[in-house]
Amino acid sequence: MAKRKLKGTPEGDVKSRQLAQHTEESTGELLTTNQGLLVNDDQNSLKAGDRGATLLEDFILREKITHFDHERIPERIVHARGSAAHGVFEVYGAAMQKYTKARFLTDPSMKTPVFVRFSTVAGSRGSTDLARDVRGFAVKFYTEEGNFDLVGNNMPVFFIQDAIKFPDLVHAVKPEPDHEMPQAASAHDTFWDFISLMPESAHMIMWLMSDRAIPRSFRMMEGFGVHTFRFVNSKGAGTFVKFHWKPLLGVHSVAWDEAQKISGKDPDFHRRDLWEAIENGAFPEWELGVQLVPEKDEFKYEFDLLDPTKIIPEELVPVQRIGKLTLNRNPDNFFAETEQAAFHPGHIVPGIDFTNDPLLQGRLFSYLDTQLIRLGGPNFHEIPINRPIAPIHNNQRDGFMRQQINKGKTSYHPNSLGGGCPFQAKMADGGFTSYAERIDAKKVRERSRSFFDHFSQATLFYNSQSPAEKAHLADALSFELGKVETVAVRQRMVGILTQIDRTLAAKVADALGLPVPSKPEQPVNHSIPADGDPKKFQPVKVTSSVSSSAALSMANTVKNTVKSRKIAILAADGVNTDSVSAMKSAFIVEGAVPEVIAPKLGMVNNTLPVDKSFLTAASVLYDAVYVPGGAGSVQTLSANADAVHFLNEAYRHCKAIALDEDARPVLDATYFGKDAGAGVLVQKDVRKLAKEFIRAVAQHRFWEREMPRRVPA
Ligand code: HDD
């Protein structure tokens, strides 16, 4: 294949070099207008006398204010709130060559630059990070063969099966149109009204009500391409593929009570976490996994591979880990990069192709269309963050904000005046050809009957959860439906739950003060045409060939590291500084981030710098708490309501807590001190304590502690 000339060298980060051409640094420079005129006075407008009216002539004032007036663009209709980072993707080996000709997935010598944006879905740009919501996980691979965007979520299925329902779904979940409430929340009538009438959403609702919807960090989430895509190899043969991202730090979440408090204490919690981890060199990493299904097995399973409300259980098709994504650089400018990044599932490269999943098919239209309004015209691909590293040559011309200066007379093909250029690329030279799928069908507006099982995988998900996860699911449903004011909607949802799990339905019904249905209620499927016979469209219940899947429970995730975890060290004057230093260094060696929190800022013992005071810190912003000994400090902290609350709350949220033996009076001042149980460690020898504490923090949470709840914290 002819090698394409890249702007930059193939080695290193070509994309960063490309971006660097568009960056600006003001350090040491003189102030100018946008026309390059040096500005002498940026403090005063031009006036008729020092107390007179401002003159229209003041072009410097007008330029500055006009630019300011136009500084906002429409936020994304969904996924408006997001944060992003640069990084690199490296494939482990050439094993995928059998299935795909995409070079970045088959050549282990390649380092493909990436830009990854994480997001919530429903909230506005300024909304809280910790909303109960799906998280977007959009990856732009700047490959040598053009951009490939894997625009996924942190949940492997979706609410609806057909893109025509997407505007309805989004209208239902967004703040209600009369009063624009609630912000960034699905706990309201219109969302659950819609969901209760859309039984196909049942599986996704299980994921959304699980703790996956309140991640501890973007860095601790899985990612999924959701749809079944198609790999195409150099012989033109296809293989179905599902994409997965597996975080090396494991999959972890916070508690719902904690999520709500974080939303108040630090609405930027996930954004800050991502930014700080990268600044501290704790680069987030994921492995790219693929599930491959040969074309001959298209109809082998009890679910349809084209149905985006279904997973392929890993027990049926294992996930092969084929490469690694590392995020290693924060953007220089949020607007220029993160806000202007334009993702599109239709951005593919040779070796990857679509399937007929009707949700994917609709997306292929929507993403390009939305960029035209959001970024203002057809030249958004020229914005530096969106530019491929592969060169662009075509006959598309002009339009708002055109950057490229196309030389020559011809902007049409065929031409002879321009020597016939640009030429079409032969397949051997990497020219893209669509997968030649055989189609022989009637043109119909219909849903395949193979899409009619809405519940078996919802049940599979529920059955795969740990006891704590099941309890959280029931609590989440009770909370969300408890916020719904229309009783009929709550009732309908309980009916749907009876199809998934009777105990779950009974628990939720009880919390809502509703009668527990005596038998499963058959929901009505509203996805039917106006003159369709509802009986012909009833959801069907299929028995899943897998009854429980380990990969679906976060209880089975990796728990072997404290890298980048935040540890609160509570201290006051008189603290044992040797203990503090020993604990600090033990955690720093492991890549964690210990911070000293004291009644006030400044120094403790005149030597130990305080990172935060109880006023600016909160237990919900930390993964674990350590209380060192030292008589004065112990006395102050045990009498300090903020310190005691800090511990009570950390305990309530099931976090690891460690104390020096002589700090026991602080423990005694808490509500749990008398019978602390799992994850609360007290030790005389600080080095031993540090070892045990590190192991405990790696466990993430001790959910078994959740009951009984004796303090509201
Ligand atoms: Fe979408 C944004 C993921 C279905 C229409 N979507 C968007 C983003 C992510 C997803 C991660 C944010 C990209 C970024 O960071 O800029 N969307 C998904 C997934 C879906 C899905 C995983 C189902 C499997 N989306 C979906 C459908 C439609 C859209 C069915 C329309 C028919 N999505 C959009 C959009 C957005 C978008 C309106 C808003 C901003 C944007 O595209 O650039 O076009």
Side-chain angles (χ1 to χ4, degrees):
M1 188 205 292
K3 195 133 175 17
R4 296 168 75 184
K5 272 187 241 122
L6 303 182
K7 290 186 197 135
T9 64
E11 279 75 46
D13 189 344
V14 191
K15 185 65 193 175
S16 295
R17 243 192 303 280
Q18 188 196 54
L19 286 171
Q21 295 164 19
H22 303 276
T23 56
E24 181 268 347
E25 272 265 25
S26 293
T27 320
E29 301 292 344
L30 296 175
L31 183 73
T32 73
T33 64
N34 281 338
Q35 302 306 315
L37 178 75
L38 290 175
V39 175
N40 164 260
D41 183 344
D42 185 41
Q43 318 304 324
N44 302 292
S45 51
L46 188 67
K47 300 179 196 78
D50 62 359
R51 298 180 63 250
T54 300
L55 300 177
L56 187 60
E57 180 195 317
D58 191 349
F59 63 97
I60 296 182
L61 169 78
R62 278 189 286 114
E63 184 199 77
K64 186 172 174 181
I65 298 219
T66 307
H67 195 279
F68 170 77
D69 289 344
H70 294 254
E71 277 175 10
R72 287 292 168 269
I73 60 171
E75 65 174 33
R76 291 167 174 84
I77 167 77
V78 282
H79 297 266
R81 168 83 185 166
S83 316
H86 294 274
V88 63
F89 174 78
E90 289 163 277
V91 75
Y92 291 146
M96 286 301 115
Q97 254 174 16
K98 210 170 141 194
Y99 309 102
T100 177
K101 59 186 170 189
R103 269 198 69 200
F104 80 105
L105 292 176
T106 52
D107 180 350
S109 71
M110 294 200 76
K111 292 182 194 302
T112 304
V114 297
F115 189 64
V116 181
R117 183 173 179 272
F118 303 103
S119 46
T120 52
V121 178
S124 299
R125 256 192 76 179
S127 59
T128 173
D129 282 344
L130 258 293
R132 171 176 294 285
D133 202 348
V134 185
R135 297 298 183 288
F137 193 134
V139 183
K140 192 181 280 296
F141 296 84
Y142 303 96
T143 90
E144 286 190 359
E145 298 171 293
N147 287 352
F148 168 56
D149 292 354
L150 186 53
V151 196
N153 281 338
N154 74 329
M155 298 177 190
V157 288
F158 204 64
F159 297 91
I160 48 171
Q161 295 174 322
D162 192 310
I164 201 166
K165 300 309 296 168
F166 191 70
D168 301 275
L169 165 72
V170 175
H171 288 171
V173 73
K174 282 273 180 182
E176 297 186 8
D178 46 356
H179 47 46
E180 222 198 19
M181 291 189 284
Q183 179 54 242
S186 53
H188 59 110
D189 284 50
T190 53
F191 178 67
W192 288 101
D193 182 29
F194 178 74
I195 292 299
S196 65
L197 298 170
M198 291 291 285
E200 70 201 52
S201 65
H203 187 192
M204 181 62 166
I205 287 303
M206 288 292 103
W207 285 82
L208 186 66
M209 293 299 110
S210 81
D211 294 346
R212 303 262 182 164
I214 39 173
R216 158 65 181 84
S217 158
F218 291 139
R219 305 173 294 118
M220 299 172 201
M221 309 188 307
E222 287 182 304
F224 303 91
V226 180
H227 314 284
T228 303
F229 288 84
R230 203 187 302 265
F231 270 163
V232 184
N233 68 15
S234 53
K235 296 194 182 100
T239 305
F240 294 114
V241 57
K242 288 240 188 217
F243 293 107
H244 296 245
W245 291 111
K246 302 271 188 188
L248 295 194
L249 294 178
V251 194
H252 302 288
S253 290
V254 300
W256 176 230
D257 176 68
E258 189 183 4
Q260 294 176 84
K261 287 172 177 159
I262 293 173
S263 292
K265 296 279 184 186
D266 185 7
D268 303 309
F269 186 74
H270 284 152
R271 177 174 289 186
R272 193 182 311 284
D273 168 274
L274 180 67
W275 180 273
E276 286 181 354
I278 293 174
E279 289 301 297
N280 294 337
F283 298 147
E285 294 169 312
W286 288 261
E287 285 187 308
L288 178 65
V290 290
Q291 284 179 297
L292 300 173
V293 178
E295 286 204 328
K296 67 173 173 45
D297 290 347
E298 181 170 359
F299 302 108
K300 180 175 164 185
Y301 304 104
E302 69 271 11
F303 48 86
D304 195 324
L305 291 174
L306 303 186
D307 175 357
T309 66
K310 301 295 183 299
I311 57 163
I312 309 178
E314 293 190 24
E315 285 70 16
L316 297 182
V317 181
V319 173
Q320 305 178 42
R321 299 181 183 223
I322 64 165
K324 191 160 85 174
L325 163 71
T326 308
L327 298 183
N328 53 20
R329 187 166 74 79
N330 279 316
D332 288 313
N333 184 286
F334 186 91
F335 180 85
E337 299 173 78
T338 309
E339 194 58 13
Q340 294 200 109
F343 294 87
H344 181 11
H347 293 162
I348 53 169
V349 291
I352 300 174
D353 213 323
F354 316 120
T355 59
N356 296 332
D357 172 339
L359 193 70
L360 174 58
Q361 292 285 318
R363 292 180 76 192
L364 296 180
F365 167 73
S366 185
Y367 287 70
L368 174 57
D369 185 43
T370 206
Q371 311 311 344
L372 297 177
I373 179 83
R374 195 172 73 81
L375 297 169
N379 289 318
F380 64 87
H381 64 282
E382 294 191 338
I383 297 173
I385 195 66
N386 295 326
R387 283 185 191 196
I389 56 168
I392 306 172
H393 302 287
N394 59 40
N395 293 315
Q396 295 170 32
R397 291 290 185 274
D398 311 345
F400 282 115
M401 303 295 165
R402 183 67 171 181
Q403 311 277 303
Q404 196 156 46
I405 303 168
N406 299 102
K407 291 196 193 175
K409 273 187 195 308
T410 56
S411 51
Y412 53 87
H413 197 270
N415 69 64
S416 66
L417 300 184
C421 302
F423 306 116
Q424 297 173 131
K426 292 188 174 130
M427 276 170 73
D429 290 337
F432 179 82
T433 46
S434 286
Y435 178 73
E437 184 177 5
R438 205 184 152 74
I439 296 176
D440 176 14
K442 281 190 194 151
K443 195 196 295 179
V444 289
R445 260 185 209 282
E446 265 179 31
R447 190 98 35 118
S448 166
R449 296 202 72 80
S450 55
F451 280 38
F452 278 23
D453 160 35
H454 302 321
F455 302 116
S456 67
Q457 289 206 349
T459 307
L460 166 65
F461 180 80
Y462 187 69
N463 287 345
S464 307
Q465 303 301 292
S466 68
E469 287 171 315
K470 282 185 175 167
H472 293 176
L473 246 158
D475 284 351
L477 281 159
S478 306
F479 173 92
E480 294 264 320
L481 295 171
K483 292 266 188 176
V484 168
E485 285 168 16
T486 314
V487 177
V489 171
R490 296 187 197 154
Q491 260 160 349
R492 223 165 28 228
M493 269 319 298
V494 171
I496 297 256
L497 295 179
T498 59
Q499 292 286 338
I500 300 170
D501 185 88
R502 299 265 302 124
T503 332
L504 175 65
K507 261 190 171 176
V508 175
D510 183 50
L512 298 175
L514 291 174
V516 181
S518 55
K519 57 178 180 25
E521 277 176 22
Q522 177 71 342
V524 179
N525 190 351
H526 287 262
S527 303
I528 57 174
D531 48 6
D533 174 1
K535 286 198 196 91
K536 287 198 186 143
F537 289 85
Q538 284 306 305
V540 292
K541 183 140 188 177
V542 168
T543 310
S544 173
S545 55
V546 175
S547 56
S548 168
S549 174
L552 302 182
S553 167
M554 291 191 287
N556 303 320
T557 193
V558 188
K559 291 178 184 166
N560 60 2
T561 174
V562 297
K563 197 171 156 191
S564 77
R565 295 294 190 150
K566 291 189 81 174
I567 317 298
I569 301 179
L570 308 191
D573 277 331
V575 72
N576 180 339
T577 33
D578 288 347
S579 284
V580 175
S581 321
M583 189 60 84
K584 259 187 143 178
S585 15
F587 271 95
I588 289 170
V589 167
E590 297 289 327
V593 186
E595 285 186 353
V596 174
I597 299 165
K600 58 188 174 84
L601 289 174
M603 295 276 187
V604 166
N605 292 0
N606 288 324
T607 52
L608 182 68
V610 175
D611 295 297
K612 305 242 163 52
S613 76
F614 286 118
L615 210 56
T616 55
S619 84
V620 293
L621 308 178
Y622 294 86
D623 291 290
V625 194
Y626 167 54
V627 187
S633 176
V634 170
Q635 198 180 5
T636 307
L637 295 180
S638 49
N640 181 311
D642 292 328
V644 174
H645 177 70
F646 202 101
L647 285 161
N648 281 340
E649 201 175 42
Y651 186 82
R652 161 84 191 271
H653 297 143
C654 307
K655 296 174 183 175
I657 295 172
L659 300 98
D660 284 356
E661 179 67 51
D662 60 332
R664 236 181 226 287
V666 187
L667 189 59
D668 293 339
T670 66
Y671 83 94
F672 59 91
K674 293 282 174 285
D675 57 9
V680 179
L681 313 168
V682 185
Q683 266 277 0
K684 207 165 173 184
D685 177 343
V686 68
R687 275 163 197 86
K688 262 197 200 154
L689 180 65
K691 264 195 183 156
E692 284 174 26
F693 191 31
I694 285 168
R695 267 201 300 273
V697 176
Q699 292 307 302
H700 182 60
R701 298 293 163 98
F702 296 85
W703 297 119
E704 62 269 36
R705 245 197 237 153
E706 266 180 326
M707 295 291 170
R709 278 185 197 151
R710 281 171 293 158
V711 285

